[in-house]
Structures are given as C-alpha cells and as structure tokens.
Amino acid sequence: MSLPIEDLRQIFAGPGGIMTAEEFATAEKKAMDAGIPPEKIITEEHLVSRQYFLDLLSRHFDVPAIDLKMNAIDKSTLALVPEKFVTEHLALPFAIEEGRLCVGFADPRNTETSAEIERMTNMPVKPFVALENAIRRGLILYQGTTQDIVGRALSNFQIYTDDSEADLKYNEQSGVGLFESLLELAQTFEVSDIHLEPYETDFVVRFRIDGFLREIAVLPISIYQRFVSYLKV
C-alpha cells in the first residue's frame, strides 16, 4: 500500500515541517499529473535529499529506514515473496539478518501485510520504511539481473557488420531503435548517466546506477556514431 498523501502532508507541511503548504500542493499536483509518487517529485526537484526524506519517515513511523538501492537487494531473499504480492502491498524483502526477514514498506504500519509475509515465509519480519519509487524499481529484479533485462530488451535488434549500403541503412534505423530502448531502460533504472566507450570493433555501454558504473551492453562500432549524433540532438 502506498503511503497516504495525508501522512506526507503532515510530515512535510504540518507543524514544524520543512515545506509550506503551497510548496507541497505544487509537488502533489506535479506527481498526480505525471502519475508518480509525490516523494519522487520532492527528491528529484531537490526540495529535500533522498536520505533526509528517509530520516523524516523513520522518525515519523519509529522504524529504521532503508535506501533500497539495487545492490542492497538480495535476489535470493526477493524470491521468498511472490512478485504479485510485493506489487500489491509495496512490501519488498531485501535481506535476512539474524534469522529475521528485512522488508522495506512504503507504509510500515501495515501489520496485516507483515503478518502475511511471516506466514508465507515462516520467518519473523523486521520492518523498514522505504521510498515507494525505490520499491517499485526493486520489482524489476524479479525479471533477472540488470544485464539479463537489458539483453532481452535489445535482443529484438539485429546489427550487421557488412559495409553494404543496404546494411548501413539498416544499421542506422536499428541503431536508433537500440538507443531509444536504452534510454527507456535508463529511465526505468533511474540511471544518473550513460557512458559510451568506443574501441576498434565495438563500443561498451555503461549505466551508472546508485553510484556504481555497470556494463550494460557491447555493440558494433558501426552504429557508434549514430548513438553519438543522437545524444547531441
């Protein structure tokens, strides 16, 4: 379950809050128009930092907070709870500590969800508060590793290494499709920057995710210039 907007309003724009009612209302409207959680607007527009947001939520709910970065999620732990359940309840298991299942909740007051997770895993739950958009991003890992997901997304594109006019034209069209797919994936993973590293016969695409640079794909050098040109547009 998502954190009710009333709670966010109380935390940020209530007595002693760090935002005015007008600032919060503006962020709320932007989030509603974009179909995303208000927290994403509040953090991305630097009204507060991500960590400060988590600290406020932790104090409000009196539970520890977790910054659910991709590398903080143990995929074997994730497999203990079905993807559908995590999606419906926004409660994502990410680690096991001292025999307790650590679960990030958008709303950690949801004791019924916690009890259901304990029933299905036969493990006591240690609740953490987490940002909703981080939980939704963590759901991606049910589809495999970052490289697995990117590999499947790019498998529909074929690039030829011949220099015939027809192949060069095909490569240009396919290169655009590849680039657009990579941009969509970068948005999904909330990538901070994209690196293209050219070599003699190919080039490497790397995403910076949660501060770490990850190799995503190795592509033929024949479409490198098209990628660069697309970036400059």
Side-chain angles (χ1 to χ4, degrees), residues 50-168:
R50 183 185 181 104
Q51 188 55 55
Y52 189 62
F53 196 133
L54 284 166
D55 290 342
L56 288 175
L57 293 176
S58 178
R59 290 198 292 270
H60 181 74
F61 293 114
D62 195 27
V63 297
I66 179 66
D67 189 358
L68 273 181
K69 296 181 178 180
M70 300 290 271
N71 60 357
I73 302 171
D74 182 339
K75 296 179 185 63
S76 61
T77 301
L78 193 66
L80 296 174
V81 180
E83 179 181 2
K84 182 179 179 182
F85 183 92
V86 175
T87 304
E88 290 176 353
H89 299 278
L90 293 177
L92 187 139
F94 62 89
I96 296 175
E97 293 181 359
E98 300 178 347
R100 301 178 68 189
L101 185 63
C102 300
V103 181
F105 291 87
D107 186 347
R109 297 168 301 188
N110 197 339
T111 55
E112 289 184 5
T113 298
S114 184
E116 180 61 18
I117 293 174
E118 290 183 344
R119 186 198 64 76
M120 69 173 67
T121 63
N122 199 31
M123 296 179 67
V125 165
K126 181 178 180 179
F128 290 76
V129 63
L131 300 182
E132 179 181 336
N133 63 309
I135 293 173
R136 293 190 183 281
R137 187 178 65 157
L139 283 163
I140 297 169
L141 295 177
Y142 275 102
Q143 302 173 34
T145 66
T146 307
Q147 287 78 4
D148 291 339
I149 297 165
V150 173
R152 287 196 296 272
L154 302 186
S155 64
N156 293 326
F157 299 96
Q158 184 174 4
I159 301 295
Y160 294 100
T161 55
D162 295 337
D163 291 330
S164 69
E165 183 176 347
D167 288 343
L168 289 173

Side-chain angles (χ1 to χ4, degrees), residues 7 44 65 91 110 129 141 163 184 212 214:
D7 285 281
E44 286 188 352
N110 197 339
V129 63
L141 295 177
D163 291 330
E184 290 175 3
F212 295 93
R214 301 168 184 259

Side-chain angles (χ1 to χ4, degrees), residues 157-160 167-179 182 196 201-203 205 218-230:
F157 299 96
Q158 184 174 4
I159 301 295
Y160 294 100
D167 288 343
L168 289 173
K169 183 176 181 180
Y170 183 87
N171 283 351
E172 180 173 343
Q173 295 170 344
S174 195
V176 172
L178 272 168
F179 188 76
L182 283 170
L196 305 180
T201 59
D202 53 35
F203 68 101
V205 181
V218 179
L219 300 170
I221 196 66
S222 58
I223 61 169
Y224 172 73
Q225 194 55 51
R226 184 57 177 152
F227 268 48
V228 173
S229 300
Y230 213 92

